[in-house]
Amino acid sequence: MEFKILGPLEVWTDDGRRVRTEGAKQERMLGTLLLNAGTVVPVARLVDAVWGDEPPATAPRQIRNLAGLLRRKLAAAQDGPPVLLTDGPGYRIAPNGHQVDALTFAHRVSVARGLTERGEPAAAVEEFRSALGLWRGPVLDGLSGSLLAAGAVALEELRLTAWENCLDLEAELGRHRQTVPELTALVAEHPLRDRFVTQLVRALQRAGRQADALAAHRRFAHRLADELGLDPGPELQLLHQELLKDGAAPAQNGTAPATRPPRPRQHLPRPAQLPPALATFVGRTAELSALDGLVDPAGPAAAGIGVVTGGAGTGKTALAVHWAHRVRERFPDGQLHLNLGGYALDPPLTPYEALARFLRALGTDLERVPGTVDESAALYRSLLADRRVLVLLDNAHNAEQVRPLLPGSAGSLALVTGRDGLTGLTACDGARRLVLDVLPRTEAVELIARIAGAERTRAEPRAAAELAAACGHLPLALGIAAGRLAERPHRTLGEHTAELRDAEDRLTALQIDSDAASAVRVAFDLSYRALQPTAQRLFRLLGLAPGNCISTDAAAVLSGSAPAATRTVLEHLAAAHLLNPAGPDRYRLHDLLRCYAAERATAETRPTERAAARERLRSWHLHRTETPPRSPAPQLPHLAPTTAAPDA
């Protein structure tokens, strides 16, 4: 079976029959899966792709229905290996045994680049042309949706880069006259793409059309100055000087051609905005190694994107800043940094506000900052083109806030931190994702030693381990507890640990009186307040359950909701890193988060509702205990049921 997304969405069987999809919703779902062929797309992401910002309450169930209908339609159209698979939290297209034109395109481009490196330009051109011939129009032409449009950006950029590479090889083979019509059309479609203009001007020059080459340069220079306030790049400037030396500039009434006087090339400042690295940073060896892979010189020829995600207080910013300092020499043109305020007391920065700050850091006068997000993003990418800049975007709110701030060309790298999973950057923008958890025991004890003192920690190793456990190995909590201990040099670790462990309000004990914003409770508050009301309610009720691990069925009983609806809310809580998956349909609540959830339940849930939730869960557990096992064991006595089964 063949799937085509490089143009309108089409599905064809091997014997040439067209498979018709049923409705826009199914097409948007299939298009999203094909954009991410071979990788899992979570149900929540598919909901966003199909409905946008206002999905119905039944959207997750409808996604599963759409997936079932699509799976049956594809299976009925052609025998063979399954195409649409259910995989963990979502669905994925299995390309094995099937063709996806986007994957075929990427493969042929890779082959063409290999031929180029081996010095076979003619064969490389043929492979590039074969790849470009797969395109029938814009990606998923006719399907609307911001997520689909964002997912198409990477493919479109790969297409344009392949076209540039192909035309460079055509020039190397001396095919200047043949490529002029093609380049003229490409410049008309992409008038601000410096590489196409340079290739057109050179082709016109080599074809003996110097006057036309000068005119093409003049049009581009005027447009670039008027729209972005920039000059052409160094290569095009040198080419322009060659043309002027040829003396072929056309006369206009006996005078020199009307060209603007050349302006000096803009020299960008070299920003160095990274915050100071923490002297108390410990461990994270595996995580640092994973981030090192982002700057692998053998990596893809595109701007890299890394995402560090995790719960409140896990040390995402500390890790990102520490790593950024380790690799700063790999980015000689500077390092940009911005706290996007995604989880803060103040509203998050808008993309326009963030772009304005970056543009000013790159030397753009305030009055020359464009008035829209799209124009500002275009100027920002132009300023970073052909430069190696590290962009650290801390505390992101969502993928839409981040996308306009991503560099557009190879050499630069964006590293994003956020509590939300930022799945869109992974699914649609090719970001590599790193999930940060609490520290291992040994590293947690080492952090205490760094702050409270190594000698004190070595003197009481058992108490240090117990203190780390009382903090749940959470870096923020460890830092606060160790900081309070450092203020009391005469107190032993054992005394401090006993006070924290026995505190009636452990979250209050984990705050610094002079710095309320650093409290563990405040960090949890910011994540909790960002939840939808249904997710807030379930999170509160989880604080009433015994233990810190719960199944989907038990959570459904606790909340009085259907298991399917509860599963969706639990997935949402896990994506916000307020829960951790602990097996199939099971979730674990961090000890300190459980304290916080119970606190919120006491403050925001009526006593009658709390009592009813506990009673539902108690009855359900009792019924499960009394129910005979499926495989009878006659030698074991069975309890006679004493309670009716709960509705759930």
Side-chain angles (χ1 to χ4, degrees), residues 181 188 226 279 301 379 549 574:
D226 291 341
L379 175 57
C549 198

Side-chain angles (χ1 to χ4, degrees), residues 599-617:
E599 181 180 280
R600 297 267 45 89
T602 301
E604 300 179 32
T605 305
R606 296 189 305 274
T608 54
E609 185 180 355
R610 298 200 302 269
R614 287 194 182 98
E615 179 57 25
R616 283 194 302 270
L617 187 61

